[in-house]
């Protein structure tokens, strides 16, 4: 239905409600209906003034007026079926319900507030316009959601295609991944074996470290013992350094003067005779102590002593408790000097 002029509904509404259309009569046109209706007003006991007669005429028209309103939905934009979509039965029922509800509320408003509220065709049209606006808004929202859903669907389709491509690539590289996994397992096994080997070597190193530490302790103890021996031997060594300056001729003469030398003197002379490869007797010792004896003592090459000679000296004299400087102190000076010379050779 196409409505060219909305005032048509206003006219129709006034006609149905009050039986009159405002300003429909011209001033010169009112006289005729007033003159014709005055006898009827007088007969009905109504005042016969101009306005009163016109009001009586209007009431007679409203009482006897029947209006038939025909509208065709087959014109204009509704030829394509939009009428059925827009104005369904439920929509019609909703509009009727709202229209009647407003009339009921208007009646209650008049009863309580003593004020009129008229429901006009314009109000009904505004209702339809509001519905149309809401329908348009919802249609736009649905269209926007449709676009959004379509975009999401396209994204899902594109993602699915990409996933299929990646799955194909994954299947293609699967053999390499399996080989890499095998290589990794082999490397891990090799590392585990190397780790065990390293741990075994660490155990060996720790054991050797303990042995080295023990050896270091033993070496330190030996060093202390050697230091003690050195400190004990230094007096003998220092005395032996100067032994080549003695005995002098008088000391040698003193020893040769013995008819039978003391035991300690004889032990010293036996050691000297052994060094010169002479018999270890008193007679041979006296022969050895000749004029060249001091020179022989001074020039004696101690480096010429072999291990055999050193062993004999150590066994027969050096380890002899009587063949010590402290013991020989009590014998003549020549014997002590010869004993010091002998110890010098052992250094």
């Amino acid at each position: 239905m196409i409505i060219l002029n909305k005032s048509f509904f206003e006219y129709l509404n006034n006609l149905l409600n009050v039986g009159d259309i405002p300003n429909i009569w011209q001033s010169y046109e009112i006289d005729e209906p007033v003159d014709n209706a005055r006898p009827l007003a007088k007969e009905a006991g109504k005042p016969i003034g101009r306005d009163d007669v016109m009001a009586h005429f209007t009431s007679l028209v409203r009482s006897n007026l029947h209006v038939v309103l025909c509208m065709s939905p087959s014109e204009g934009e509704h030829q394509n079926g939009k009428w059925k979509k827009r104005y369904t039965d439920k929509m019609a029922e909703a509009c009727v319900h709202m229209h009647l509800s407003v009339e009921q509320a208007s009646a209650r408003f008049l009863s309580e507030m003593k004020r009129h509220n008229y429901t006009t065709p314009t109000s009904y049209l505004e209702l339809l316009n509001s519905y149309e606006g809401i329908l348009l808004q919802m249609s736009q929202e649905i269209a926007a959601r449709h676009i959004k859903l379509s975009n999401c669907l396209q994204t899902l389709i594109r993602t699915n295609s990409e996933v299929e491509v990646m799955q194909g690539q994954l299947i293609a590289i699967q053999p390499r991944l399996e080989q890499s996994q095998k290589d990794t397992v082999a490397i891990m096994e090799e590392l585990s074996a190397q780790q065990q080997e390293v741990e075994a070597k660490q155990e060996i190193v720790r054991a050797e470290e303990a042995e080295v530490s023990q050896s270091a302790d033993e070496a330190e103890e030996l060093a202390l013992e050697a230091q003690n021996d050195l400190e004990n031997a230094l007096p003998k060594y220092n005395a032996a350094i100067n032994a080549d300056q003695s005995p002098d001729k008088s000391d040698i003469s003193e020893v040769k003067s013995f008819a039978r030398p003391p035991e300690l003197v004889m032990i010293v002379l036996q050691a000297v005779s052994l060094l010169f490869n002479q018999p270890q007797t008193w007679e041979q010792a006296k022969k050895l102590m000749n004029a060249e004896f001091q020179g022989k003592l001074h020039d004696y090459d101690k480096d010429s002593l072999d291990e055999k000679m050193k062993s004999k000296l150590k066994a027969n004299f050096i380890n002899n408790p009587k063949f010590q400087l402290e013991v020989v102190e009590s014998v003549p000076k020549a014997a002590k000097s010869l004993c010091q010379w002998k110890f010098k050779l052992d250094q």
Side-chain angles (χ1 to χ4, degrees):
M1 178 180 64
I2 300 176
I3 301 174
L4 299 178
N5 191 350
K6 293 183 179 181
S7 61
F8 172 77
F9 285 100
E10 292 290 342
Y11 298 153
L12 182 61
N13 180 67
N14 291 330
L15 187 62
L16 293 174
N17 287 326
V18 298
D20 187 18
I21 298 176
N23 301 321
I24 194 173
W25 301 97
Q26 299 294 330
S27 60
Y28 63 89
E29 294 177 338
I30 296 177
D31 294 337
E32 182 178 357
V34 169
D35 292 339
N36 293 330
R38 183 173 282 113
L40 297 175
K42 185 176 181 180
E43 182 180 350
K46 302 290 184 180
I48 58 174
R50 189 172 185 273
D51 293 336
D52 295 329
V53 173
M54 190 61 187
H56 182 66
F57 172 75
T58 301
S59 64
L60 292 175
V61 172
R62 184 171 57 248
S63 299
N64 295 279
L65 180 64
H66 298 276
V67 178
V68 177
L69 180 62
C70 298
M71 294 180 291
S72 175
S74 60
E75 298 179 0
E77 62 179 354
H78 300 288
Q79 292 179 356
N80 56 7
K82 289 186 178 180
W83 172 267
K84 293 182 180 179
K85 293 182 180 179
R86 182 176 298 179
Y87 302 103
T88 60
D89 293 339
K90 290 185 178 181
M91 179 59 194
E93 292 176 1
C95 291
V96 171
H97 173 73
M98 286 186 286
H99 201 72
L100 294 177
S101 298
V102 171
E103 288 186 350
Q104 294 173 1
S106 298
R108 190 170 65 253
F109 182 73
L110 177 61
S111 175
E112 295 176 359
M113 305 299 296
K114 307 302 181 181
R115 295 178 60 184
H116 288 279
N117 178 59
Y118 297 103
T119 304
T120 65
T122 302
S123 302
Y124 190 77
L125 291 176
E126 291 297 330
L127 171 64
L128 296 179
N129 290 333
S130 298
Y131 170 77
E132 185 177 10
I134 294 174
L135 180 63
L136 178 61
Q137 180 181 357
M138 294 185 65
S139 299
Q140 292 175 350
E141 292 178 357
I142 292 174
R145 292 180 181 179
H146 174 74
I147 294 174
K148 185 176 181 180
L149 180 61
S150 178
N151 293 335
C152 293
L153 183 60
Q154 293 297 326
T155 302
L156 289 175
I157 294 174
R158 184 172 61 255
T159 303
N160 188 37
S161 300
E162 293 176 355
V163 169
E164 290 179 355
V165 173
M166 288 188 289
Q167 285 179 343
Q169 295 175 350
L170 182 61
I171 293 174
I173 65 174
Q174 186 66 28
R176 285 187 292 173
L177 293 177
E178 293 177 355
Q179 184 62 39
S180 298
Q181 186 176 7
K182 292 179 181 179
D183 294 341
T184 302
V185 172
I187 293 173
M188 292 299 295
E189 292 177 352
E190 183 178 356
L191 290 176
S192 178
Q194 292 179 356
Q195 180 68 23
Q196 294 177 358
E197 183 178 354
V198 169
E199 291 177 354
K201 290 183 178 180
Q202 286 179 344
E203 291 294 333
I204 296 174
V205 169
R206 282 193 287 268
E208 292 179 351
E209 183 179 359
E211 292 179 0
V212 169
S213 178
Q214 183 178 0
S215 299
D217 294 339
E218 294 176 355
E220 186 176 358
E221 293 178 359
L222 292 176
L224 292 175
E225 293 178 0
Q227 182 65 28
N228 293 331
D229 293 341
L230 177 61
E231 292 176 355
N232 294 330
L234 279 177
K236 298 178 182 180
Y237 176 77
N238 293 330
I241 291 298
N242 299 320
D244 57 348
Q245 299 177 358
S246 58
D248 54 17
K249 291 182 179 181
S250 60
D251 295 332
I252 295 174
S253 298
E254 181 184 1
V255 173
K256 290 175 65 176
S257 65
F258 289 127
R260 185 179 181 86
E263 180 183 5
L264 295 177
V265 175
M266 190 61 201
I267 292 174
V268 173
L269 293 175
Q270 287 176 347
V272 174
S273 298
L274 178 62
L275 289 171
F276 285 98
N277 294 316
Q278 299 295 326
Q280 301 174 29
T281 62
W282 168 239
E283 289 76 10
Q284 186 61 39
K286 288 193 293 182
K287 293 179 181 180
L288 185 61
M289 290 184 290
N290 53 24
E292 299 176 354
F293 184 59
Q294 282 184 308
K296 291 180 180 180
L297 293 176
H298 185 272
D299 297 334
Y300 191 87
D301 185 10
K302 68 176 183 177
D303 295 331
S304 63
L305 293 176
D306 54 14
E307 293 298 327
K308 184 177 180 181
M309 178 62 72
K310 291 180 180 180
S311 298
K312 289 181 179 181
L313 289 172
K314 186 175 182 180
N316 297 325
F317 301 103
I318 294 176
N319 293 335
N320 190 344
K322 295 181 180 181
F323 191 75
Q324 303 297 326
L325 290 175
E326 296 81 1
V327 179
V328 182
E329 287 283 349
S330 60
V331 300
K333 181 180 178 182
K336 179 181 178 182
S337 298
L338 291 173
C339 185
Q340 290 176 339
W341 175 80
K342 168 62 185 66
F343 277 110
K344 178 183 177 182
L345 296 179
D346 293 334
Q347 301 302 321

